[in-house]
Amino acid sequence: MQGGEETRLRRHSSVGKRDENKERGNWSGQLDFLMSCLSYAVGLGNLWRFPYLCYRNGGGAFLIPYVIMLVFTGIPLFFMELSFGQFAAEGVISIWKVSPLFQGIGWGMFIVSFFISVYYNMIIAWTLYYLYNSFFGFSSDLSWTTCDNEWNSLECGLEKFQKIRNCTVNSTGVWYNETCVKNTTENHQLIEQITGWSNSTSNIKSISYASDEFFHRNMLDISEGFHEMGAPKYEMIICLFAAWTLVGCSLIKSIKSSGKVVYFTASFPYIVLICLLVRGLTLPGCLDGILFYLTPQWHRLLSAKVWGDAAVQIFFSLSPCWGGLITLASYNRFRNNCLRDALFVSISNCLTSFFAGFVIFGIIGYMAHIFNLPVDAVAKEGVGLAFIVYPEAVSRFPVAAIWAVVFFLMLLALGLGTQIATVTTVHTTLMDVFPKVFRVGRRPMILTCIVCIVGFIFGISCTTRGGIFMLQLIDNYAATYSVLIIGLCECVVLSWVYGIDRFSKDIEQMIDKEPWMWFKVLWKYVTPGLLILIILFTWIDYTPSNYGTYKFPAWADTLGWMMSMTSVMAIPIVALYKIVRTKSRNNETLWQKICRLSQPSCSWGPAISKYRKPHQDETCEPLQTDEQMRLADLQKA
């Protein structure tokens, strides 16, 4: 390379002097990549989804299908994507030189990553709002611990909860007009007039935590539904802007800066989880919660739903087919041992989920003890666990403000780790598709700002009073059915179209040995079969969207399906475009043309020239569009 050209490339913020790939750059160190993958895979779902699934599906018995699905679907897909991205050192769209007809798979991953980045950053914005309010706890009570605020309802508070529980359960009476009407013979007619019941038992469901009201009535100011979206809340706008600013600053120098941020986002959650577990073990009721989490219910293993939940959780926990793994691996050095990395990150991710269950259910057991309720009455998943139950529990710790700050810093680290890799996928894809536009000088930084601004604009709809419903809709549809279909297509194309033998030889070129026969069998037969079963199970188990007791209107679910199918439809649309735009050869049938488009283009292979083998440059012909063919004819003439 000439000196001037080399200097020009080094102006690109992600390229260093010691980088093997002078065009795209490499990780500053191997640990940067490992921490990035771990931070990407270990996200909020490990904290608020897995423990709930474990208790719901048989406790400790759930670990059996979970580990089996990890071996048969999780690790194979994780290894496949890491090796695929590392070999070609390309983004999720340009990498499909391996089979140009199926480049739509890459576009599908790009669309999925964009949707995920929009709603995931809204959760980070909520975390920042809670983190900001946590600092007020050093001078007064935490905002979500009291019921004398302007946003609180009459049903708020633990003291009232206990009074009503004593009235409605212990005395089988009715709580009316702030007093207890006991269920005696004399009051029977009065009770019937108050409630319309002849047999009053309980109306506890009308009571809410102070933390629940802080989340729903203050921060969200939640509306009745989609028909009442309302205007954006300025506090949420500010928090969302701050969240995107954090992401932008983390990526301002691409992987050179994000590779350092992930040391915090990957390690800090473990420190906090250990501290919370130690603290939790000193609380009354903690062991009851942990026993509830672990106690095996072996008969549940006979349920197909348990196995389906295990497969779905593994798939979405490791996050294959979003494009993030391919993108992160594309910055590796060519000779990196991607098999070792895949095993380490996959197993670490699952162990993290299991460990988080001890922490979560220890705290849930403590909350059940405080409210004198069974553990399953307190157990929640999703935002209800992270922003309602856990803040309520943390507020009862000594020096609650410190614990609150630490807890929400942990949520921030978990969210940022996944978000950084997701936005990196969007950013890298655009640079790879338009290298002459975005890989010059400071334009990668400008592109980072553009991506963050666009993501912020799309996320504004989630800052309204009905924003939680929009966020739930995106969460339900953006990365569920579509990702499963994309993953199945990716697995089939690499194993059957490109060929498992060729793919294995590519891996051997990087790590000096072919992947085990075990992986070849899984990639070609077992994993695609299991993905088909997961897709069928997910469709059979489909229920229309809801949030709490509010059921989404039919048009909202239709919008969700359209969102989901946007990424899937990219596959046939791009394939059709390739077929139409590519010039046919003499006497070439349509099927022959499709077969030719399915084969690797002549530019497929390692990005570093010294690793390219002669056959990777000499045994292929470039695929040309009509315009390129006409230009070639003019040049010959």
Side-chain angles (χ1 to χ4, degrees):
M1 181 181 292
Q2 297 179 352
E5 177 69 8
E6 186 173 355
T7 302
R8 183 188 69 80
L9 288 174
R10 282 178 185 164
R11 289 180 192 150
H12 176 20
S13 56
S14 67
V15 179
K17 293 181 179 180
R18 297 182 180 179
D19 288 343
E20 182 180 59
N21 191 325
K22 298 301 181 182
E23 182 179 354
R24 301 178 86 252
N26 298 107
W27 296 103
S28 299
Q30 185 54 32
L31 194 57
D32 289 14
F33 169 69
L34 273 178
M35 298 298 273
S36 295
C37 280
L38 191 62
S39 187
Y40 176 60
V42 177
L44 295 169
N46 298 74
L47 188 69
W48 70 30
R49 176 71 175 161
F50 172 82
Y52 179 83
L53 283 179
C54 196
Y55 112 80
R56 192 181 73 181
N57 290 306
F62 181 69
L63 296 176
I64 295 176
Y66 186 71
V67 171
I68 290 174
M69 291 301 171
L70 167 67
V71 172
F72 285 98
T73 59
I75 293 177
L77 281 172
F78 206 92
F79 180 34
M80 172 179 276
E81 292 212 336
L82 289 191
S83 54
F84 186 35
Q86 181 175 305
F87 180 78
E90 298 272 7
V92 296
I93 293 176
S94 54
I95 200 171
W96 286 97
K97 297 168 184 175
V98 68
S99 186
L101 185 68
F102 296 98
Q103 193 181 62
I105 296 175
W107 282 107
M109 291 178 175
F110 172 78
I111 294 169
V112 166
S113 291
F114 178 74
F115 281 142
I116 291 172
S117 67
V118 169
Y119 88 83
Y120 216 81
N121 230 29
M122 194 64 233
I123 298 175
I124 295 176
W126 293 348
T127 304
L128 290 174
Y129 185 84
Y130 269 81
L131 184 61
Y132 170 77
N133 279 274
S134 297
F135 287 102
F136 290 106
F138 289 102
S139 57
S140 61
D141 292 330
L142 290 167
S143 302
W144 56 82
T145 61
T146 59
C147 287
D148 55 357
N149 305 288
E150 60 181 2
W151 62 77
N152 290 125
S153 66
L154 295 175
E155 292 80 18
C156 176
L158 175 61
E159 182 179 350
K160 182 177 291 187
F161 178 90
Q162 291 171 332
K163 287 181 180 179
I164 295 177
R165 178 176 174 80
N166 289 332
C167 174
T168 58
V169 176
N170 299 337
S171 301
T172 63
V174 172
W175 186 262
Y176 174 69
N177 200 22
E178 299 298 311
T179 59
C180 180
V181 180
K182 293 186 177 180
N183 191 7
T184 60
T185 305
E186 308 88 70
N187 293 336
H188 189 70
Q189 186 176 0
L190 176 60
I191 289 175
E192 286 185 337
Q193 292 175 349
I194 295 172
T195 65
W197 302 337
S198 58
N199 227 349
S200 173
T201 54
S202 173
N203 59 359
I204 293 179
K205 291 182 180 178
S206 62
I207 306 305
S208 60
Y209 299 127
S211 57
D212 184 290
E213 299 205 345
F214 178 82
F215 178 69
H216 285 114
R217 297 171 66 92
N218 176 43
M219 187 185 78
L220 298 181
D221 191 18
I222 190 169
S223 67
E224 295 295 323
F226 274 106
H227 59 281
E228 192 181 345
M229 290 296 289
K233 294 193 63 181
Y234 77 90
E235 302 99 325
M236 290 293 95
I237 288 281
I238 293 172
C239 290
L240 182 62
F241 181 81
W244 277 108
T245 301
L246 278 176
V247 173
C249 291
S250 300
L251 290 172
I252 199 66
K253 290 189 175 182
S254 190
I255 60 168
K256 299 301 183 185
S257 55
S258 67
K260 300 298 179 285
V261 174
V262 294
Y263 281 88
F264 169 74
T265 61
S267 59
F268 185 71
Y270 290 98
I271 298 172
V272 176
L273 285 174
I274 291 172
C275 293
L276 287 173
L277 178 62
V278 172
R279 172 58 185 149
L281 290 173
T282 66
L283 300 173
C286 173
L287 292 180
D288 293 335
I290 292 175
L291 288 175
F292 184 87
Y293 168 57
L294 290 178
T295 302
Q297 302 172 36
W298 301 110
H299 67 280
R300 299 297 298 275
L301 295 179
L302 299 177
S303 170
K305 182 171 176 57
V306 172
W307 291 83
D309 281 349
V312 171
Q313 176 60 19
I314 278 290
F315 190 87
F316 293 116
S317 177
L318 291 174
S319 305
C321 312
W322 290 13
L325 296 177
I326 293 175
T327 301
L328 295 175
S330 71
Y331 291 104
N332 273 339
R333 294 180 179 274
F334 186 78
R335 305 287 292 179
N336 174 62
N337 190 338
C338 49
L339 173 59
R340 175 201 60 201
D341 296 344
L343 293 173
F344 172 78
V345 176
S346 299
I347 295 172
S348 297
N349 173 72
C350 295
L351 290 177
T352 301
S353 297
F354 182 59
F355 174 68
F358 287 89
V359 182
I360 297 300
F361 273 87
I363 299 299
I364 287 176
Y366 168 60
M367 292 299 295
H369 173 81
I370 290 178
F371 286 97
N372 193 26
L373 289 171
V375 175
D376 59 352
V378 183
K380 290 180 179 288
E381 65 171 327
V383 294
L385 178 63
F387 294 103
I388 298 175
V389 175
Y390 229 95
E392 183 79 25
V394 167
S395 68
R396 301 179 188 281
F397 289 1
V399 199
I402 294 178
W403 286 104
V405 169
V406 168
F407 174 72
F408 287 111
L409 278 175
M410 179 186 69
L411 285 189
L412 180 63
L414 288 170
L416 273 178
T418 301
Q419 180 70 352
I420 286 172
T422 305
V423 177
T424 298
T425 301
V426 177
H427 180 262
T428 299
T429 299
L430 292 173
M431 285 199 298
D432 286 345
V433 173
F434 307 105
K436 294 181 180 179
V437 178
F438 295 123
R439 282 199 181 276
V440 182
R442 296 184 178 275
R443 291 184 186 177
M445 295 184 187
I446 296 173
L447 177 61
T448 299
C449 296
I450 293 173
V451 170
C452 291
I453 290 171
V454 173
F456 169 74
I457 293 172
F458 272 83
I460 289 177
S461 63
C462 296
T463 65
T464 62
R465 292 183 60 214
I468 182 65
F469 307 120
M470 181 59 70
L471 184 142
Q472 191 71 47
L473 190 70
I474 300 174
D475 184 31
N476 288 350
Y477 288 98
T480 49
Y481 311 99
S482 56
V483 172
L484 290 167
I485 296 171
I486 289 170
L488 176 62
C489 293
E490 178 189 31
C491 203
V492 169
V493 171
L494 291 179
S495 299
W496 290 90
V497 180
Y498 180 59
I500 200 66
D501 292 330
R502 281 199 287 189
F503 188 59
S504 298
K505 289 295 182 182
D506 293 343
I507 295 175
E508 181 183 15
Q509 192 177 344
M510 293 186 292
I511 64 176
D512 293 328
K513 59 182 178 181
E514 280 199 32
W516 309 321
M517 180 58 68
W518 171 261
F519 280 114
K520 294 182 182 181
V521 173
L522 290 178
W523 286 332
K524 198 166 185 179
Y525 303 105
V526 180
T527 302
L530 286 174
L531 284 174
I532 292 173
L533 290 177
I534 295 172
I535 292 170
L536 292 175
F537 169 79
T538 307
W539 277 338
I540 293 171
D541 197 47
Y542 169 78
T543 54
S545 299
N546 67 283
Y547 183 77
T549 58
Y550 172 67
K551 294 183 178 180
F552 288 14
W555 67 261
D557 281 312
T558 302
L559 177 64
W561 279 110
M562 292 173 61
M563 188 187 310
S564 185
M565 290 300 106
T566 299
S567 52
V568 174
M569 289 305 296
I571 301 174
I573 289 174
V574 172
L576 183 62
Y577 175 82
K578 292 282 185 183
I579 293 170
V580 171
R581 296 285 291 175
T582 302
K583 184 71 174 179
S584 298
R585 294 175 178 173
N586 293 333
N587 301 319
E588 185 179 46
T589 65
L590 177 61
W591 176 249
Q592 289 172 332
K593 187 177 184 179
I594 291 173
C595 291
R596 179 163 60 93
L597 285 167
S598 301
Q599 296 305 306
S601 67
C602 62
S603 57
W604 166 251
I608 312 300
S609 58
K610 68 179 180 179
Y611 295 119
R612 294 183 69 90
K613 294 181 178 180
H615 72 83
Q616 290 168 332
D617 289 312
E618 298 174 359
T619 61
C620 64
E621 295 183 33
L623 299 173
Q624 295 182 320
T625 61
D626 292 344
E627 289 79 3
Q628 291 171 330
M629 291 287 285
R630 282 195 293 269
L631 180 61
D633 291 339
L634 288 173
Q635 290 174 341
K636 289 178 182 178

